[in-house]
Amino acid sequence: MPPRRLPFIVTLLTAAALVTGCSDGEDSGTESSAPTAEADAAVDQRVTEAEQRASEAEARVSELESELDTARQQAEEAETRADDAESRAEEAEAAALAAGEEAAAEAEPDTGDDETDQGSDASAPEASSLTTSQESAVRSAQDYLQFTAFSRTGLIGQLEFEGFSTEDATFAVDSLDIDYNEQAAAAAESYLDFSGFSRQGLIDQLVFEGYTQEQATYGVDQTGL
């Protein structure tokens, strides 16, 4: 009698095995899909981070290029101002030499004129208080001022460049009645005739030439800039 029940038991065991196999297959598929989703999310995050870093790098490159352009423009302006200052100094030197030669030529015929001698006597007390080098420095300073505008320190420096001592150059400049505000205004106009300047750039250039901040500001104000 027992042998008759074996097929039924085998059938039950076979069915259970099939059900278990199907359940294991479903679990395996679910578990395998989870790592794939996580990997895709990680890749997307890395791509997003890389794109953000690339955007930040591009913005930084643009900033650096802008700073470089600004630096180049400032260097060009400084070079232009330096060239202009050098040209003005050369022109002033040439004018002073020409004026000195003219003054020397005019002085020769005056020595034989009685009326001129009387005029010289009238001014003699003032002239006698000056040394020869001081008198020469005064005359040279006047010649320069007839040609172009100077700040106090600029004119002293020009006389020193001509070979006058610092003492004689300073004495000569301070002995003259010079309106440095008007000198700054004339210099500002001269710069604008030569090149373009911003208001602050022109003030800075005049300060560089030796004018005080107040004198430079006054001079630029007169141009209407």
Side-chain angles (χ1 to χ4, degrees):
M1 294 299 294
R4 293 179 182 178
R5 299 181 63 179
L6 288 176
F8 179 72
I9 294 173
V10 170
T11 301
L12 290 177
L13 292 174
T14 302
L18 291 173
V19 171
T20 302
C22 291
S23 176
D24 290 343
E26 292 177 359
D27 292 342
S28 176
T30 301
E31 292 176 357
S32 64
S33 64
T36 301
E38 292 177 358
D40 291 342
V43 170
D44 291 341
Q45 183 177 0
R46 290 175 182 173
V47 169
T48 301
E49 291 174 352
E51 290 176 346
Q52 183 177 359
R53 287 195 295 270
S55 178
E56 292 174 352
E58 183 177 356
R60 181 55 180 162
V61 168
S62 297
E63 292 177 0
L64 292 174
E65 289 178 347
S66 178
E67 292 174 359
L68 179 59
D69 290 340
T70 300
R72 287 174 177 170
Q73 182 178 1
Q74 291 174 345
E76 290 175 356
E77 291 177 354
E79 184 177 357
T80 298
R81 290 195 295 267
D83 291 342
D84 181 48
E86 183 178 356
S87 177
R88 283 162 57 87
E90 292 176 353
E91 291 174 354
E93 180 181 359
L97 291 175
E101 293 175 356
E102 182 179 354
E106 292 176 353
E108 291 181 358
D110 291 343
T111 58
D113 191 343
D114 292 340
E115 294 180 359
T116 305
D117 289 342
Q118 292 176 359
S120 299
D121 292 340
S123 62
E126 182 179 353
S128 63
S129 65
L130 304 180
T131 65
T132 303
S133 60
Q134 288 175 338
E135 187 176 356
S136 180
V138 169
R139 191 163 53 246
S140 182
Q142 291 172 326
D143 291 339
Y144 275 119
L145 290 172
Q146 290 177 358
F147 174 74
T148 189
F150 280 94
S151 66
R152 178 179 181 274
T153 56
L155 186 52
I156 290 173
Q158 184 61 38
L159 293 177
E160 289 176 331
F161 179 78
E162 291 296 324
F164 292 102
S165 67
T166 300
E167 292 76 12
D168 288 342
T170 302
F171 172 85
V173 172
D174 289 343
S175 69
L176 299 176
D177 185 15
I178 304 173
D179 187 339
Y180 291 108
N181 282 335
E182 294 304 322
Q183 292 292 308
E189 288 288 354
S190 177
Y191 273 117
L192 289 177
D193 288 341
F194 174 77
S195 180
F197 282 89
S198 66
R199 172 180 170 80
Q200 189 58 50
L202 186 52
I203 290 174
D204 291 342
Q205 178 61 30
L206 293 178
V207 171
F208 176 79
E209 291 291 330
Y211 294 98
T212 66
Q213 187 71 32
E214 292 75 15
Q215 292 165 357
T217 302
Y218 175 87
V220 174
D221 285 344
Q222 303 315 299
T223 67
L225 188 62

